[in-house]
Amino acid sequence: MSWSSTQLLDAFLSTTSDQIIPLTAQGVAAGCKVFGAAILRKSDLGVVVVATNHETSSPLLHGEINCIQQFYALPSDQRPPPGDCIFFATHEPCSLCLSGITWSGFDNHYFLFTYEDTRDTFNIPHDIKILEEVFKVPTPSESPQDYAKRPLYNKSNSFWTARSVAELVDDLHGEEKEDMEKRVKNIREEYNGLSGVYQGGKGSAGIPLA
Ligand SMILES: [Zn+2]
């Protein structure tokens, strides 16, 4: 089944508003970060599992990793194969989560907020910093400008293809596009509030990279 950008956006934004944001509100109240994820069936866009960051338990329990853990905790007869699923992350997955998605067998992922949003709007700089510090090796033949321009990861590779919500919105036109932009803006505002709660208590929960 191939879904239109409108259908995918509707599924992602509804899942975010109805299921991920309420869970996130509980998480940030307990000192966890604002990141969430969902796994949906390709066949009907039904939600299989939704989860959010739980770094107060372990710094590895990012929203995506927690979601994958809960997905694989389902009995095998109640869990679709990962190849039959769509992976959605509220924020562009970090290096840990890109690897988690890869190792778990998903052939796609979609995200709402970009790394730059996470750094600039959410005041969490670690995604870009880890990819640059750990993975992005300068080569002697490369100019500093070319190094700066080189992407931090491969958005379309033999394991999966990644697309942002903004790219899906760009597929739309006219009133439909405007409506979807409004929905994204409303969700963005809700996240601003959640981010304020997290930032207000940041540092007290003992998360190494808060
Ligand atoms: Zn992550």
Side-chain angles (χ1 to χ4, degrees), residues 35 53 60-65 92-98 127:
F35 307 125
N53 180 287
L60 301 185
L61 276 184
H62 290 193
E64 299 92 320
I65 301 295
E92 190 169 9
C94 75
S95 47
L96 167 69
C97 296
L98 290 175
D127 300 329

